[in-house]
Amino acid sequence: MNDLIIGTTIFIITLVAILLDKMHRMIVALVGAVAMLVFLAGRYSQKEAFAAIDFNTIFLLLGMMILVDILKKSGIFQYLAIKFAKLGKGEPSLLIILLPILTAIMAAFMDAVTAVLLIAPITFVIVDALGLHPVPFLLAEGMAANIGGTATLVGDPPNVMIGSAAGLSFMDFVTNVGPVTVIVLLAFAISIRYLFRKELFILSELKEMVLAFDEKKAILDVKLMRKGAIVMGLVIIAFIFHDKLHLEVATIAMGGAALMFLVARANPSEVLKSLDWPTLLFFMSFFIVVGGLEKVGTIALLANGTVKITKGNPTLMSMLMLWFSAFASSMVDNIPYTATMIPLVRTLTTTSIAPLWWALSLGTCLGGNGTLIGASSNIAIAGISEKEGYPITFKTFMKYGMPLMIQSMLICTAYIYLRYLM
Amino acid sequence: MSPTLIAKDLMTKKVTTVSPEVSIKDAALKLFKMGVSSLPVVDGENHVIGIISEGDLIKMALPSYALEAGRLSFLPEYEPFERKLANADKVKIKEIMREAMTIEEDEPIIEVARLMVIKQVRSIPVVKDAKLTGMISRCDVLKEMVRRSGILGETK
């Protein structure tokens, strides 16, 4: 009983401190992890804590970060952005669909923040050259990145964590959350175009200018671009067959990183310097915090409570999971949220309710679009925009984000119900 | 063995400075006129309160995202400078100046050279009792190094 109170208290303090955002979340989680080990000394061992860290998640993220960091130096993503801009023939109402779709595709295979940081600046340049207001484009890209990340196991950290914990493969995600993500993305594109219809006019001679862009001039290193694209292609193929190959996704990502180092002859210390270590350490620390929470029995209590409230009804549990996850992750960082929910769902799914995992994935990933603080890619977008004198406030973001999030949740509700529960 | 030289021995004593209240435009004109790459910003009592360089002004004429967007050769017609510099005669230097790194008059050349390499600055304001007494540039340091090495034969 005593341990239950200690563990739960440390967890809640950690979570609140992350939410308050006064101190970097990595530092908060590290303090929380150490607190769990110190205050539960003798009951929650370091060995157990390290076993609670999901290294499949950590090494998948690390491998993909290395891959993308080397590949992006070729200029390939700017090249693609210009290609996509030209596909729309300079028509702003197509531009606002095509550039976010590119962002979504990229985010399906890399971290959403990275996708946004690659595409937003070049978008800013293009729309500024066309005399368009940049904010609609940036908002659309930020949200599209979250939608794209939902589609695959490697796209968004919650999916990586869920896949790893539930033993779900890359193709399990593609076939289960993939289809609904495509529908959500298309509905999103139509809505975005409608919402910003008044901002999308330019002079016809400017359209010519877009068509005259030479995307080849955005390439920084042709050889690296070719080699890198091949490595990335191989990695994606390996992801598709990873369960048949009996390889975990982290193994493939590390293999891809190793291959990329070999073919690009990149300097390791330079590459490693630019990786997002704070996020990786945050992950590890928070896994330790949740490991403690599970050890003291709080998770089991919550799981029993959920079963009691929903009377074990799978439809009710799935819908509750979907909508609760969406609103929770629109306010809270989705990494700690997922890390906490995974052991809970694992306890619940002993009665084999598979849609609960998909509800958790869809709710958590897409919920990030609800508010400015719901996803780190939203914050990244706001940062880029503010630097140039176009601040995106919490209120502005929510005005578009919340209805679009609810739209995507309605689509998911119908999908989960029709596919799994009927 | 030549005597140890200090910053004071190499610095240029006649320094062109700007006041923090001067506009960006006037500061730029001063840079062009004097043919220097940076200007120390000083208050009424000759305290160094900042520095402004050509690089800072070029950076100001670019939108911040342009620095993150990769190679921009595909956009020859894109010249946002006019818009970015539209307020150059209204914005004051104090709003965009950087914090200046200064160096004491008695610092040895080795330290001056180290700072120039590590901090990637072209010139450093030299101070005594917190007041500006001179500027020391990469050229000043390099000239002394070359002179010492004797590779140019006996100059001076």
Side-chain angles (χ1 to χ4, degrees):
Chain A
M1 191 61 206
N2 211 4
D3 282 354
L4 184 72
I5 293 167
I6 294 171
T8 312
T9 310
I10 294 172
F11 173 79
I12 291 173
I13 293 173
T14 309
L15 205 61
V16 170
I18 292 172
L19 198 63
L20 289 178
D21 203 22
K22 291 271 182 263
M23 203 191 291
H24 193 287
R25 59 180 187 165
M26 185 223 91
I27 301 171
V28 174
L30 190 60
V31 172
V34 173
M36 278 285 182
L37 287 164
V38 171
F39 289 105
L40 294 174
R43 284 95 81 204
Y44 181 45
S45 70
Q46 180 180 290
K47 208 171 177 185
E48 287 172 293
F50 286 174
I53 300 174
D54 179 10
F55 283 105
N56 191 42
T57 299
I58 304 296
F59 280 98
L60 173 68
L61 290 170
L62 183 57
M64 294 310 282
M65 280 178 190
I66 292 173
L67 266 178
V68 173
D69 191 76
I70 299 177
L71 184 56
K72 76 178 182 196
K73 293 191 179 110
S74 68
I76 186 171
F77 298 112
Q78 285 80 9
Y79 171 86
L80 288 171
I82 299 167
K83 270 245 167 214
F84 268 67
K86 282 169 80 175
L87 272 182
K89 306 211 185 314
E91 191 61 62
S93 58
L94 288 174
L95 215 53
I96 202 165
I97 292 178
L98 289 165
L99 288 174
I101 285 180
L102 172 65
T103 318
I105 296 171
M106 283 166 57
F109 299 101
M110 61 177 85
D111 172 35
V113 176
T114 310
V116 155
L117 289 181
L118 285 168
I119 296 301
I122 183 102
T123 303
F124 222 132
V125 169
I126 293 173
V127 300
D128 190 33
L130 296 177
L132 288 161
H133 198 285
V135 168
F137 291 85
L138 297 181
L139 275 177
E141 284 172 359
M143 291 189 232
N146 287 325
I147 297 174
T150 315
T152 73
L153 173 74
V154 299
D156 203 358
N159 284 356
V160 185
M161 297 157 85
I162 293 168
S164 189
L168 296 163
S169 74
F170 185 83
M171 283 314 279
D172 285 335
F173 272 87
V174 171
T175 55
N176 285 284
V177 293
V180 67
T181 309
V182 173
I183 301 170
V184 166
L185 185 62
L186 292 177
F188 167 80
I190 293 168
S191 301
I192 274 286
R193 190 175 161 172
Y194 176 77
L195 287 171
F196 294 116
R197 65 194 179 283
K198 287 180 191 142
E199 316 268 358
L200 301 173
F201 293 104
I202 56 168
L203 302 166
S204 53
E205 63 249 39
L206 287 172
K207 290 181 194 166
E208 310 272 312
M209 181 172 140
V210 176
L211 289 174
F213 287 165
D214 182 358
E215 63 272 24
K216 290 200 187 75
K217 286 193 176 157
I219 301 172
L220 290 160
D221 185 339
V222 184
K223 272 191 197 153
L224 177 62
M225 178 169 145
R226 290 206 189 106
K227 288 183 201 165
I230 292 171
V231 174
M232 196 72 190
L234 287 174
V235 167
I236 292 172
I237 293 169
F239 276 147
I240 293 172
F241 296 108
H242 79 95
D243 53 333
K244 296 203 175 63
L245 296 167
H246 304 291
L247 292 174
E248 294 285 343
V249 282
T251 310
I252 293 166
M254 295 307 285
L259 191 58
M260 195 68 108
F261 265 126
L262 286 173
V263 301
R265 300 224 175 89
N267 177 349
S269 51
E270 222 171 84
V271 174
L272 295 193
K273 232 184 259 169
S274 51
L275 300 188
D276 186 5
W277 294 106
T279 295
L280 292 177
L281 198 53
F282 170 65
F283 260 106
M284 291 195 258
S285 307
F286 203 80
F287 276 130
I288 293 178
V289 174
V290 175
L293 192 68
E294 200 176 0
K295 173 84 192 210
V296 298
T298 314
I299 300 277
L301 271 181
L302 284 173
N304 291 336
T306 314
V307 174
K308 238 182 226 164
I309 293 168
T310 58
K311 298 194 172 64
N313 178 331
T315 309
L316 207 56
M317 276 211 272
S318 303
M319 293 308 153
L320 188 67
M321 181 61 73
L322 180 70
W323 287 86
F324 181 75
S325 300
F327 282 99
S329 86
S330 75
M331 298 306 289
V332 200
D333 196 322
N334 64 14
I335 296 169
Y337 175 76
T338 316
T340 314
M341 292 309 274
I342 281 174
L344 180 73
V345 178
R346 211 195 270 135
T347 317
L348 291 172
T349 33
T350 43
T351 45
S352 94
I353 311 163
L356 269 189
W357 289 119
W358 306 129
L360 175 62
S361 158
L362 289 166
T364 310
C365 297
L366 296 172
N369 277 343
T371 73
L372 182 66
I373 55 163
S376 14
S377 50
N378 302 345
I379 298 169
I381 279 287
I384 295 172
S385 196
E386 180 162 20
K387 240 195 208 166
E388 232 2 76
Y390 300 97
I392 298 175
T393 61
F394 191 84
K395 218 171 125 193
T396 316
F397 190 95
M398 203 156 150
K399 191 174 123 195
Y400 299 104
M402 192 47 86
L404 287 165
M405 179 196 100
I406 291 174
Q407 169 182 291
S408 63
M409 280 305 106
L410 289 172
I411 295 170
C412 292
T413 303
Y415 176 82
I416 290 181
Y417 184 73
L418 293 173
R419 177 151 179 193
Y420 303 103
L421 299 166
M422 229 172 69
Chain B
M1 187 106 176
S2 26
T4 317
L5 284 183
I6 53 174
K8 190 183 174 182
D9 304 323
L10 295 182
M11 69 186 189
T12 310
K13 295 196 175 76
K14 242 185 105 192
V15 188
T16 315
T17 60
V18 277
S19 131
E21 303 297 328
V22 155
S23 75
I24 290 171
K25 184 185 144 200
D26 290 338
L29 291 175
K30 210 164 194 177
L31 275 175
F32 305 151
K33 199 176 142 204
M34 305 307 295
V36 289
S37 62
S38 60
L39 296 170
V41 185
V42 292
D43 64 10
E45 282 155 27
N46 219 22
H47 293 125
V48 181
I49 55 171
I51 195 159
I52 184 90
S53 72
E54 290 165 335
D56 300 326
L57 296 177
I58 291 179
K59 201 172 163 193
M60 215 202 119
L62 288 179
S64 57
Y65 51 82
L67 301 174
E68 309 287 325
R71 195 177 159 207
L72 295 177
S73 321
F74 74 96
L75 260 177
E77 298 97 341
Y78 182 55
E79 291 179 350
F81 324 124
E82 223 173 288
R83 187 190 73 223
K84 293 294 292 184
L85 293 179
N87 290 322
D89 53 346
K90 293 186 197 85
V91 180
K92 288 177 180 171
I93 281 299
K94 64 177 175 191
E95 292 170 48
I96 69 153
M97 68 186 186
R98 272 179 303 127
E99 201 180 318
M101 174 185 52
T102 57
I103 194 163
E104 293 289 329
E105 274 189 346
D106 56 359
E107 288 282 3
I109 301 190
I110 183 84
E111 172 60 7
V112 178
R114 185 191 70 90
L115 278 174
M116 282 177 172
V117 173
I118 299 281
K119 306 277 181 185
Q120 300 189 344
V121 290
R122 287 216 233 161
S123 45
I124 307 176
V126 184
V127 293
K128 190 185 177 190
D129 303 326
K131 289 188 180 181
L132 183 72
T133 55
M135 274 298 255
I136 187 161
S137 71
R138 283 187 181 181
C139 194
D140 299 329
V141 173
L142 186 61
K143 260 186 206 158
E144 179 58 21
M145 287 173 165
V146 169
R147 197 183 64 78
R148 293 265 185 120
S149 75
I151 49 174
L152 292 182
E154 268 314 304
T155 51
K156 234 180 186 177

